[in-house]
């Protein structure tokens, strides 16, 4: 069936785009529009055409389901559709409502007239995927709206409400209410008045001193876009609209588009765009799985994490009861929450009255009797199995049947925690990241017995509280921390071999990470990792560790909170200052191991850190702990400060080439074998990695 409905109202043909949810301009729809235009052309009783969108949008642009398929490029392309519209001997009116974005807006710009309902979202968002509008958007928009507005829209990708375009040539009419009757009336009027077939392409960009303005724009964009090439290319394309005849401008736009599609930055943005959408799809959990109702919540523990988690619920309007062991801890926790809200209000990010509204949703208690009715309870007490056991046994006693019992544990076995209850099917891990009210990632840990509807409900809850939920199976450290452990080990080995903490941090920060491993560790508290390592030394005596971090901790240098760690800190300040004491400690440690320090290049530092992540990621994929490589990347992009323009460790490995990666790993292994305390075994390629190399494939498909 065609995705473009055709009907006639008097002497006007109406083509209605019909490709839910947002009339993405996929192949069938494009073909349907062209067929509709031909039918109108061949019918003498038709004098004009109106194109509109059925359902919730005029059109949201390209059909993302078609990306990377031959259909995306199949004719009629959007260019062809627009050319057919422009060439029509009968006027074509776009009836725009709700959403006209990307290709949808470009289609409308190809029409002879445009009528819009007010409140419609108008945008060219391609830049958000590292691209530029490729179907004439950069050439036509500056011809109908002021140059600055067009440029801002193209460079930012942000939507603008249709009524803001009053008085511009973008819309001939902006109406309240239903747009179709208005567009039909407009078409009749245009016919009666003989308004002909005006084309946007025939207009000139009207701006005196455009060159100066564009130069200014180039400078500004260069500074803001930093790692992304698309915004500057957008400016170039708009400059072409100013300086060149229309067809030549289109050519410049096309060249810009083709150049951008090839960039790793655009690939990274598209990967993240699709990765985000894929994360909520769980192969064995149908999309229509009935969800449990979540109208109230409880949090156990009002410490660093519990407080932030409670704020997430209050921010989403979900009442939450916070339980603590004693009054002092309770008051302290609630006090911190209030201070956080008040600070946001001071910075203008929250209305003063909302501080009280949110605080009113948070109910402090010390009694389990007050939480039994909550639909979900999240435990965030000390990371200690006996404490977790006590709490979960109590929760099993008091929580109503069907309540979800979640643990915020970052390392402990969720299956064991579930076994403390008589309802393991209701138990799940919800691993928030610190600060829990800020960080977007929520690692959702699916236990062996976790019920499907519990998983589906928790994923849905993640988006309600504005998190990105990514599912992990049960293993030590889950996805994110299990990988970061290998990254930290390499960071530590590099200190033993000859690098300084600041050199390692600087190299990976230059690559784009928000913070290098040692500054990060100082921020999080070096004792946290130490505690985990001490457990490892007992549980996994086979695993080798570099030892500088332990020696730093033995001196009580836990990081920022103690004023010293891998760096030193001035009182009350967070700036990491290189510390000669640390250099001496490392030098003495090397001597003890019999290591002659060597110079490590930034390239070696960066790739040892990245490949340590990706190789562990491959094992995690192989074991089914992660469902897909993009899930791993989403965890790193949203929870670990991995630079967005690099796309995540798995995509980075793919772009580097897995074959090249394995060869690099062999070099690293040989060097490790020559180093006292080195661990060549760390570079044993994961079986999946070797398999993909043999098949000439990548992680990310
Ligand atoms: N801090 C992080 O960066 C981080 C990140 C992710 C996950 N986690 C996990 O979150 C959990 C909490 O960590 P945190 O950093 O918030 O610790 P925290 O020490 O700041 O807070 C723990 C709170 O739990 C309270 N508590 C202890 N036993 C209790 C009990 N039986 N009943 C009620 N309250 C009790 C304590 O009084 C304290 O206020 C741990 O499992 C930790 O591994 C922490």
């Amino acid at each position: 069936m065609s995705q473009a409905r055709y009907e006639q109202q008097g002497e006007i043909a109406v083509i209605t785009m019909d490709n839910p949810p947002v009339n993405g301009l996929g192949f069938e729809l494009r073909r349907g529009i062209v067929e509709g235009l031909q039918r109108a052309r061949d019918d003498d009783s038709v004098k004009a055409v109106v194109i509109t969108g059925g359902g919730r949008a005029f059109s949201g642009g390209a059909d993302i389901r078609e990306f990377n398929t031959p259909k995306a490029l199949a004719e009629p392309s959007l260019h062809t559709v627009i050319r057919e519209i422009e060439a029509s001997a009968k006027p074509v009116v776009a009836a725009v409502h709700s959403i006209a974005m990307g290709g949808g807006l470009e289609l409308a710009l190809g029409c002879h007239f445009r009528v819009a309902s007010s409140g419609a979202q108008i945008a060219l968002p391609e830049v958000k995927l590292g691209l530029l509008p490729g179907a004439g958007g950069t050439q036509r928009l500056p011809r109908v709206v002021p140059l600055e507005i067009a440029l801002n829209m193209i460079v930012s990708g942000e939507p603008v409400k249709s009524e803001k375009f009053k008085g511009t040539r973008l819309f001939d009419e902006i109406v309240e209410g239903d747009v179709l009757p208005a567009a039909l009336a407009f078409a009749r009027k245009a016919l009666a008045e003989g308004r002909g077939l005006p084309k946007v392409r025939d207009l000139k960009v009207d701006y005196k001193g455009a060159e100066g303005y564009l130069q200014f724009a180039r400078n500004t964009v260069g500074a803001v876009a930093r790692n992304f090439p698309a915004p500057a290319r957008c400016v170039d394309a708009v400059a072409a609209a100013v300086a060149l005849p229309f067809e030549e401008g289109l050519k410049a736009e096309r060249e810009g588009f083709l150049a951008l599609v090839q960039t790793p930055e655009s690939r990274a943005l598209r990967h993240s765009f699709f990765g985000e959408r894929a994360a909520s799809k769980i192969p064995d959990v149908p999309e229509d799985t009935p969800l449990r109702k979540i109208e109230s919540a409880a949090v156990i523990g009002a410490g660093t994490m519990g407080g932030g988690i409670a704020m997430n619920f209050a921010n989403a309007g979900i009442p939450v009861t916070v339980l603590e062991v004693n009054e002092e801890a309770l008051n302290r926790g609630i006090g911190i929450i209030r201070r956080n809200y008040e600070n946001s209000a001071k910075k203008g990010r929250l209305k003063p009255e909302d501080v009280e509204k949110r605080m009113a949703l948070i109910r402090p208690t010390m009694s389990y009797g007050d939480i039994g009715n909550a639909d979900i309870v999240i435990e965030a007490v000390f990371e200690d199995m006996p404490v977790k056991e006590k709490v979960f046994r109590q929760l099993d006693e008091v929580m109503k049947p069907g309540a979800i019992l979640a643990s915020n544990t970052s390392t402990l076995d969720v299956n064991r925690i579930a076994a403390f209850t008589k309802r393991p099917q209701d138990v799940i891990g919800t691993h928030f990241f610190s600060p829990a009210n800020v960080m977007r990632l929520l690692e959702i840990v699916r236990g062996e017995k976790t019920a499907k509807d519990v998983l589906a409900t928790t994923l849905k809850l993640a988006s309600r509280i504005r998190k990105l939920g990514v599912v992990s199976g049960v293993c030590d450290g889950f996805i994110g921390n299990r990988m970061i452990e290998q990254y930290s080990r390499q960071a530590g080995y590099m200190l033993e071999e000859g690098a300084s903490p600041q050199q390692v941090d600087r190299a990976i920060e230059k690559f784009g990470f928000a913070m290098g491993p040692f500054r990060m560790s100082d921020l999080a508290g070096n004792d946290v990792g130490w505690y985990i390592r001490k457990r490892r030394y007992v549980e996994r005596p086979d695993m080798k560790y570099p030892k500088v971090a332990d020696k730093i901790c033995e001196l009580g240098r836990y990081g920022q909170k103690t004023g010293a760690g891998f760096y030193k800190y001035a009182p009350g300040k967070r700036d990491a200052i290189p510390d000669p004491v640390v250099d001496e400690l490392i030098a003495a440690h090397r001597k003890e191991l019999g290591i002659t320090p060597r110079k490590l290049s930034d390239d070696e530092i960066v790739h040892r850190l990245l490949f340590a992540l990706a190789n562990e990621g491959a094992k995690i994929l192989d074991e089914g702990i992660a469902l897909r490589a993009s899930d791993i990347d989403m965890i790193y992009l949203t929870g670990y400060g991995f630079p967005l323009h690099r796309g995540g460790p798995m995509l980075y490995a793919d772009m580097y080439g897995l074959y090249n990666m394995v060869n690099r790993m062999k070099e690293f292994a040989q060097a490790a074998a020559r180093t006292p305390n080195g661990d060549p075994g760390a570079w044993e390629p994961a079986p999946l990695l070797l398999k993909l190399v043999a098949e000439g494939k990548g992680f990310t498909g």
Side-chain angles (χ1 to χ4, degrees), residues 576-611:
I577 306 164
D579 190 347
V581 176
V582 173
D583 296 337
E584 280 160 31
L585 180 148
I586 296 173
H589 176 67
R590 286 178 193 142
K591 213 164 180 185
E592 217 175 280
L593 290 174
I595 293 177
T596 316
R598 66 181 175 91
K599 190 168 163 19
L600 282 79
S601 70
D602 283 4
D603 184 76
E604 176 179 348
I605 294 173
V606 165
H607 286 103
R608 280 174 66 174
L609 294 176
L610 295 179
F611 294 159

Side-chain angles (χ1 to χ4, degrees), residues 413-475:
D413 183 342
V414 172
N415 292 330
R416 268 185 70 196
I417 293 176
F420 298 140
T421 73
K422 288 185 283 301
R423 38 175 138 174
Q425 73 282 0
D426 295 340
V427 176
I428 193 163
T430 48
H431 183 208
F432 287 83
F433 287 70
S434 182
N437 54 316
V438 177
M439 295 295 289
R440 213 172 143 233
L441 177 61
L442 177 60
E443 220 176 8
I444 297 176
V445 186
R446 179 182 192 174
E448 251 164 41
K449 300 204 171 137
T450 304
K452 289 182 182 183
D453 65 338
V454 168
L455 182 60
T457 304
T458 308
L459 270 162
K460 178 76 190 173
L461 175 67
S463 73
R464 261 176 88 192
I465 61 173
R466 299 168 150 272
K467 303 284 172 200
L468 179 70
V470 183
V471 177
S472 169
V474 175
C475 68

Side-chain angles (χ1 to χ4, degrees), residues 9 95 115 173 175 177-188:
Q9 302 218 11
V115 176
E173 258 180 27
V175 300
D178 205 355
V179 74
L180 186 57
L184 287 165
F186 181 91
R188 286 188 198 104

Side-chain angles (χ1 to χ4, degrees), residues 300-306 323-326 329 332 368 379-384 387-388 390-391 394 407-411 431-434:
I300 314 296
T304 312
M305 297 306 286
L323 185 146
E324 258 291 352
V325 272
N326 59 51
R332 190 180 52 227
Y368 275 85
E379 164 278 309
V381 303
F382 301 135
E383 185 75 344
D384 183 39
V387 183
K388 305 276 190 206
K390 202 172 128 226
V391 170
Q394 245 157 333
S407 172
N408 186 49
T409 179
S410 34
T411 51
H431 183 208
F432 287 83
F433 287 70
S434 182

Side-chain angles (χ1 to χ4, degrees), residues 633-693:
D633 285 341
M634 292 319 298
I635 285 178
Y636 268 79
L637 293 174
T638 56
Y640 290 83
F642 199 101
L644 177 59
H645 68 287
R646 307 283 194 178
M650 307 313 274
L651 182 73
Y652 182 83
D654 275 356
M655 292 202 281
Y656 190 88
L658 299 189
Y659 174 82
N660 302 333
M661 171 176 162
V662 169
N663 283 340
R664 258 339 256 291
M665 287 168 63
K666 279 182 200 151
E667 280 172 33
F668 296 154
Q670 283 158 4
R674 291 193 298 269
T675 311
N677 195 42
D679 181 16
W683 297 114
E684 191 67 49
L688 176 66
L689 177 55
L690 293 177
K691 179 167 167 276
L692 291 171
V693 169

